[in-house]
Amino acid sequence: MDAWKEGLPRNPHFAVQVALLFSACGDVFLIWPEAFPYGVAAFTKAQLLYIWAFGLRPLQLGLLLPIVLASLPFYCLLLLHLSSDMVLLLTAYTLALATMLWRGLARGGSARWGAQLFTISDTVLACNAFIQPLPHARLVVMATYYAAQFLISLSAFQSPRLKTN
């Protein structure tokens, strides 16, 4: 109970557990198209919890440039295909996802691979849903999504790799 009073979980294990719960809620919401915004909100909360679990050390600011260079062109393309009511929601999610990718890459280990797979999953999902249908998209999305969740969960039991650059 004390963790909730303070507003943040006490440890990364708890943060990952709650993130998985929000992800499961997001999965349920995505079943119904009219609940899509609630699904995105749940996944945004999951990404924020993953960021907290991965921590801010090592900072690894050098990872931001490649993430921005890879994310920005796709995001700009995505914007061309979004309705106005989805722009703010998906912008917030994209920022949370990109930040989670940065922190996962900086942490290393299974967090690195999980963050990359989660980003691939959501990129394929967004492309398929908003830009152009892709062959076997659902298979790619689900395989990368569940592998990502597994690897991120595994990272909660690993010590962060210490990096100096």
Side-chain angles (χ1 to χ4, degrees):
M1 243 2 213
D2 290 336
W4 293 109
K5 289 178 188 175
E6 294 175 16
L8 286 175
R10 288 192 182 272
N11 64 58
H13 297 85
F14 185 71
V16 169
Q17 290 172 349
V18 176
L20 289 169
L21 181 63
F22 275 112
S23 293
C25 292
D27 290 336
V28 171
F29 286 130
L30 293 184
I31 293 171
W32 300 281
E34 63 276 5
F36 183 81
Y38 299 108
V40 174
F43 280 113
T44 301
K45 290 176 184 175
Q47 299 304 341
L48 294 173
L49 285 161
Y50 286 144
I51 292 163
W52 189 87
F54 295 158
L56 293 176
R57 289 197 175 105
L59 198 55
Q60 295 280 326
L61 291 174
L63 293 170
L64 288 173
L65 182 60
I67 291 170
V68 169
L69 291 176
S71 302
L72 199 55
F74 179 77
Y75 177 70
C76 290
L77 176 64
L78 182 62
L79 275 177
L80 298 173
H81 298 274
L82 293 179
S83 60
S84 59
D85 61 328
M86 292 299 229
V87 170
L88 182 59
L89 182 66
L90 290 178
T91 298
Y93 181 74
T94 299
L95 288 171
L97 180 65
T99 304
M100 185 278 301
L101 175 61
W102 169 44
R103 300 316 313 144
L105 290 173
R107 180 176 169 104
S110 66
R112 167 180 293 187
W113 297 107
Q116 290 177 76
L117 287 173
F118 211 123
T119 303
I120 290 167
S121 175
D122 281 0
T123 300
V124 172
L125 183 131
C127 186
N128 187 62
F130 298 109
I131 299 173
Q132 175 181 333
L134 301 171
H136 312 291
R138 184 155 173 79
L139 175 64
V140 172
V141 167
M142 298 313 288
T144 53
Y145 170 70
Y146 284 112
Q149 295 284 39
F150 172 75
L151 290 166
I152 290 170
S153 297
L154 186 61
S155 77
F157 299 100
Q158 298 171 333
S159 296
R161 290 179 28 194
L162 296 177
K163 296 181 183 179
T164 57
N165 54 10

